[in-house]
Amino acid sequence: MSAAPHRLLVVDDSNVIRRRIERATELPGIEFVGSARNGVEALELHAQLRPTLVTMDLTMPEMDGAECVAQLVARDPGILILVISALADKLTAIEALERGASGFLCKPFTDHQLNEALRKLIGPAGGDTP
Amino acid sequence: MSLEAEVGVFVAGVLNYFGTSVQQVAQCGTPHLALSERPEIGDYTGVIQVSGKRSGLVAFTAPKSMLSVMLMRMQETDMSHENLCDLVGEIANTLSGNARRDFGHQFQISVPAVLTGRGGQIEYPRNSRPIVVPIAWRNYNARLIVCLN
């Protein structure tokens, strides 16, 4: 019996980036379930969609990604969050990880880099949800 | 960091952006001080306000045709005005955010503001002279405008 796929929520204030991540994610074991434009929307959709995997921008209006990461992890300690941000300094990455993110990918990125970063998060088995 | 080195950070960011995002290299011309107080802008301009250790702005400006082709290279099928605005803002955001690798955590950046139309006006800091980085990609020309105190 195959494991349940990871349920992916994409959070970014850029429509172009949200659609790009949705198109580029082609790993077995990942099912795209929705996208949000900011942290507030992400928290609302988390309650409805119960994602197990999230890609999260940091610089967003309403609620930024760092705050949203902390709130998602407080609600669901097993959730996997890949922060995808243009903020390329080390301190930003460290802060995101300290708030509970599982990985960090710097913008700009190729489709291959995105899939590799997601593969690292979900592990070789792919569909084993936490 | 010298002025040349600072501008070099943004030039490296532009080259990395095009090589990675649309996987076709761009070329940057010689950066120069703007000939006028308000450099000419293209159809779409993304502007990032910078605060913290430095203050000022970073803007990326490009013609509609160039942004449309960039969207195509990203496999995007929606070439709407909204998506063109979104892309130009995202480029400005990425180039500014990447600069934190060299400028540090205190290089604080805003969410992007987008100007449309060549008649738009960027509000530059007082008594400043913007630096213009010409960008050539395919047969299109864009500009990065950096104005930091």
Side-chain angles (χ1 to χ4, degrees):
Chain A
M1 195 171 75
S2 61
H6 276 281
R7 296 166 56 76
L8 173 66
L9 175 67
V10 176
V11 187
D12 199 300
D13 60 342
S14 163
N15 182 51
V16 169
I17 295 294
R18 289 196 305 273
R19 285 168 57 94
R20 173 140 184 247
I21 293 172
E22 183 186 347
R23 278 193 305 275
T25 306
E26 52 193 24
L27 295 176
I30 294 180
E31 175 194 4
F32 171 80
V33 294
S35 62
R37 293 175 296 183
N38 57 55
V40 174
E41 279 190 12
L43 294 175
E44 288 170 6
L45 285 179
H46 176 261
Q48 295 169 30
L49 302 173
R50 294 287 162 200
T52 57
L53 179 63
V54 177
T55 67
M56 178 72 68
D57 187 16
L58 289 179
T59 309
M60 295 184 291
E62 307 287 332
M63 179 192 290
D64 68 27
E67 176 61 25
C68 188
V69 166
Q71 293 204 29
L72 286 175
V73 171
R75 286 183 185 188
D76 178 2
I79 198 165
L80 297 173
I81 303 176
L82 175 66
V83 169
I84 302 180
S85 173
L87 302 179
D89 59 296
K90 279 183 188 166
L91 196 52
T92 295
I94 290 168
E95 281 179 2
L97 296 173
E98 283 177 347
R99 284 180 176 242
S102 317
F104 190 96
L105 176 65
C106 195
K107 292 178 182 176
F109 55 86
T110 63
D111 292 356
H112 177 73
Q113 288 168 336
L114 171 65
N115 281 304
E116 277 303 299
L118 288 171
R119 195 194 314 273
K120 273 187 192 166
L121 247 62
I122 66 175
D128 293 334
T129 52
Chain B
M1 210 181 335
S2 68
L3 179 63
E4 288 78 10
E6 288 191 355
V7 174
V9 167
F10 290 99
V11 169
V14 168
L15 299 178
N16 181 48
Y17 184 86
F18 280 85
T20 306
S21 255
V22 290
Q23 303 197 342
Q24 274 185 339
V25 292
Q27 291 183 339
C28 288
T30 305
H32 56 84
L33 279 171
L35 300 176
S36 65
E37 283 185 2
R38 297 188 178 279
E40 192 180 319
I41 60 172
D43 301 323
Y44 290 85
T45 304
V47 183
I48 301 290
Q49 299 293 334
V50 176
S51 59
K53 212 171 183 179
R54 305 295 298 270
S55 65
L57 62 85
V58 176
F60 176 81
T61 185
K64 178 180 181 179
S65 51
M66 176 175 173
L67 295 169
S68 301
V69 175
M70 291 178 76
L71 283 177
M72 283 182 216
R73 293 281 308 168
M74 296 174 177
Q75 316 300 323
E76 177 57 70
T77 53
D78 178 356
M79 308 292 167
S80 64
H81 172 72
E82 287 73 22
N83 258 7
L84 295 170
C85 289
D86 188 305
L87 176 62
V88 83
E90 182 63 19
I91 296 170
N93 174 65
T94 302
L95 298 177
S96 309
N98 285 183
R100 279 171 57 140
R101 188 178 288 124
D102 297 278
F103 285 89
H105 195 64
Q106 291 304 311
F107 189 81
Q108 303 284 346
I109 63 171
S110 69
V111 293
V114 174
L115 300 174
T116 58
R118 291 170 188 251
Q121 298 258 317
I122 298 174
E123 290 298 322
Y124 292 100
R126 280 180 144 201
N127 304 320
S128 64
R129 191 82 181 270
I131 293 170
V132 176
V133 180
I135 301 165
W137 181 71
R138 295 166 69 109
N139 55 342
Y140 303 106
N141 293 298
R143 290 169 155 197
L144 184 71
I145 301 170
V146 180
C147 189
L148 297 174
N149 288 325

